[in-house]
Amino acid sequence: MYNVEKGYEAAKEFYAQYGIDVDKAIEIADKTPISMHCWQGDDVAGTEVKEDKSLTGGIQATGNYPGKATNGEELRADIEEAMKFIPGELKVNVHANYQEADRFVDRNEIQPEHFAKWADWAVEKGLGLDFNPTYFAHPKSTEKGTLSCADEDIRKFWVEHGIKCRQIGEYFYKKTGKPCVINHWTPDGDKEVPVDTLGPRQRLKKSYDEIFEATKDVEGVVDGIESKVFGIGAESYTVGSHEFCMGYVMNANKDHIIMTLDAGHYHPTETVSGKLSSIYTFDNSVLLHVTRPVRWDSDHVVGFDDETRAIFEELVRMDKLKDTYVATDFFDASINRVAAWVIGLRNTRKAMLAALLQPVDQMKKMEADGDVSARLAYKEEFKAAPFAMVWDYYCAKKNAGIGLEWLKDVKQYESDVLLKR
């Protein structure tokens, strides 16, 4: 291994000539929370007691790599293993189907007690918890829809589920002392374009209204409204489209209701990085789901790719990183699931740090002065800046493994733990 300290000093000297404070950049990146999704560890199967664990509603994990978690204890152990190699402040993001009761408890009857193991574990580890209603993988999640369903009994069932989830979010907040960010996403849609496209959206709005009205006294909860371009079985019409969700958030005019922007939920020619400034023109916060789409919303492991980097560059340039709730969302069942977490979360933090190591103020001044030639030169030059040396130093400082040092430990954990399940 090369001399990390020496490399860091050389990189620091390079960045200093452009007025960039490397230590400050590391500090900001380190303290910005990333919410680590629990469902990578078991392919979104969940831990609730039920007979049918099939995924439904436009969501699918592909692959059958051995060693997935089969209960909450195994899942939390796998999360802890991954966290050893993910530097910076973390939260853990839990779906409602990860309740832990010793009997069947339907989604509209869940209580904080069914998530007590998650809460106690989070307190012990000093972690915050985020939450998600699970509007899929359930007998009442069918082609008829959930929150937009014309069957009033089904719609009411899912409204009750949403209400319970916000109450559990408050429980997490009071247990951990950290705000709980809840993401609301429904798989509702149609394989063909329906004749009535308005009715389902009116019912979805009504359902959200009822959920938030019934829980208006809940404290410490932030609610993201997530859109999607399409899903499996809902290829032609999505009730919760981007336009619907953006309209709902802006019309709600409540600080706790914000837009969720998922990097995989748009047409391939659209980018989340291109949408951020429009949302921030009208709202104060955004919930960001970092993922990597491949052809469709396949939720691949986050890469250190152009769009991931562009998202964080945009947030830093707008000075909105501090106002953005960053969460990961992918589920790859074709590779070691702990490795998937480590790779995806490290790349998310890496993109954040890389964005903080750019001369934003200088480039803004060039732009304001009309010197667009210099602006382009600077943007391109910093693509090859010695960022990797700063990243290695940061990882060494956090004892999170330099380069690929973490891989041998994860493979050993696979041999000792995962493959024995």
Side-chain angles (χ1 to χ4, degrees):
M1 180 60 66
Y2 74 95
N3 189 318
V4 173
E5 188 77 33
K6 189 174 181 180
Y8 169 70
E9 291 300 331
K12 198 172 181 179
E13 184 177 351
F14 168 85
Y15 284 110
Q17 64 184 326
Y18 296 100
I20 298 171
D21 187 335
V22 174
D23 292 326
K24 182 179 179 181
I26 290 176
E27 180 183 4
I28 294 172
D30 185 61
K31 291 182 177 179
T32 300
I34 299 176
S35 191
M36 177 181 176
H37 61 304
C38 76
W39 49 92
Q40 166 58 45
D42 73 338
D43 310 338
V44 209
T47 55
E48 62 189 347
V49 177
K50 64 178 182 178
E51 293 182 0
D52 181 9
K53 286 198 171 185
S54 63
L55 296 178
T56 62
I59 189 168
Q60 181 178 339
T62 55
N64 192 31
Y65 198 88
K68 74 176 181 180
T70 62
N71 56 56
E73 295 303 322
E74 291 179 353
L75 186 56
R76 285 186 286 273
D78 292 353
I79 291 172
E80 288 181 31
E81 179 66 19
M83 282 182 168
K84 294 177 183 177
F85 311 107
I86 303 169
E89 185 173 343
L90 295 173
K91 299 177 76 179
V92 172
N93 203 0
V94 181
H95 244 287
N97 64 327
Y98 288 85
Q99 57 153 301
E100 292 174 90
D102 56 7
R103 60 180 178 82
F104 172 72
V105 178
D106 214 344
R107 300 268 178 87
N108 66 332
E109 298 175 334
I110 54 175
Q111 300 292 335
E113 65 195 64
H114 302 133
F115 297 87
K117 291 181 180 179
W118 284 104
D120 291 343
W121 172 76
V123 171
E124 177 189 347
K125 302 299 178 182
L127 300 165
L129 287 174
D130 294 327
F131 201 50
N132 307 258
T134 306
Y135 295 114
F136 53 84
H138 189 278
K140 285 187 170 68
S141 174
T142 68
E143 68 278 359
K144 294 180 180 179
T146 60
L147 291 176
S148 70
C149 189
D151 185 324
E152 189 63 7
D153 289 338
I154 292 178
R155 191 187 71 82
K156 282 292 187 182
F157 174 89
W158 290 114
V159 167
E160 291 168 5
H161 177 59
I163 290 170
K164 294 294 186 182
C165 288
R166 293 203 79 234
Q167 292 168 343
I168 291 166
E170 181 180 46
Y171 163 71
F172 284 163
Y173 162 67
K174 290 182 176 179
K175 284 284 289 188
T176 66
K178 299 179 181 181
C180 176
V181 182
I182 295 181
N183 185 59
H184 301 262
W185 171 78
T186 67
D188 299 15
D190 202 302
K191 190 173 181 67
E192 302 294 344
V193 178
V195 174
D196 180 12
T197 61
L198 180 60
R201 287 175 173 147
Q202 290 175 327
R203 290 191 292 272
L204 181 55
K205 177 184 182 299
K206 179 181 179 182
S207 295
Y208 281 145
D209 288 345
E210 290 174 357
I211 291 169
F212 294 129
E213 177 60 27
T215 55
K216 60 185 177 184
D217 295 328
V218 160
E219 297 178 349
V221 173
V222 177
D223 300 270
I225 308 296
E226 183 178 17
S227 68
K228 194 170 185 177
V229 65
F230 76 93
I232 296 176
E235 290 87 353
S236 298
Y237 170 76
T238 301
V239 182
S241 65
H242 176 77
E243 292 78 9
F244 170 88
C245 292
M246 185 167 66
Y248 187 86
V249 169
M250 300 308 172
N251 189 62
N253 196 28
K254 294 180 180 178
D255 288 341
H256 73 90
I257 301 178
I258 64 176
M259 274 293 292
T260 301
L261 297 178
D262 186 302
H265 281 198
Y266 298 94
H267 189 278
T269 60
E270 294 182 277
T271 61
V272 164
S273 59
K275 297 179 185 296
L276 283 164
S277 61
S278 294
I279 301 299
Y280 269 118
T281 300
F282 299 97
D283 215 343
N284 298 319
S285 298
V286 164
L287 171 55
L288 178 65
H289 275 193
V290 187
T291 186
R292 179 169 57 95
V294 177
R295 301 293 181 268
W296 67 287
D297 173 34
S298 44
D299 290 296
H300 284 60
V301 178
V302 177
F304 189 58
D305 55 14
D306 289 346
E307 172 57 6
T308 303
R309 296 189 66 172
I311 287 170
F312 286 100
E313 287 172 355
E314 186 73 355
L315 291 173
V316 169
R317 291 167 183 173
M318 295 189 297
D319 192 26
K320 293 296 183 181
L321 182 61
K322 64 184 183 303
D323 301 310
T324 304
Y325 299 96
V326 180
T328 50
D329 183 8
F330 51 84
F331 32 95
D332 192 336
S334 68
I335 63 174
N336 181 303
R337 294 168 183 81
V338 175
W341 265 319
V342 176
I343 295 167
L345 271 291
R346 282 174 76 103
N347 278 335
T348 302
R349 185 78 68 191
K350 192 183 293 184
M352 187 185 299
L353 179 56
L356 289 161
L357 289 170
Q358 295 191 12
V360 174
D361 291 340
Q362 291 185 45
M363 290 191 292
K364 282 185 176 180
K365 186 178 186 306
M366 294 168 191
E367 184 171 87
D369 292 343
D371 191 354
V372 293
S373 300
R375 179 188 64 183
L376 180 59
Y378 267 65
K379 286 171 66 177
E380 293 302 307
E381 182 66 21
F382 272 80
K383 291 179 180 179
F387 157 76
M389 293 181 178
V390 179
W391 171 254
D392 284 347
Y393 171 81
Y394 169 53
C395 289
K397 185 178 177 182
K398 302 295 291 188
N399 196 30
I402 303 167
L404 293 173
E405 286 181 346
W406 61 270
L407 188 56
K408 64 180 183 298
D409 293 271
V410 169
K411 285 183 175 293
Q412 189 64 50
Y413 182 78
E414 178 180 64
S415 176
D416 295 343
V417 179
L418 301 183
L419 296 182
K420 293 180 179 179
R421 289 176 177 165

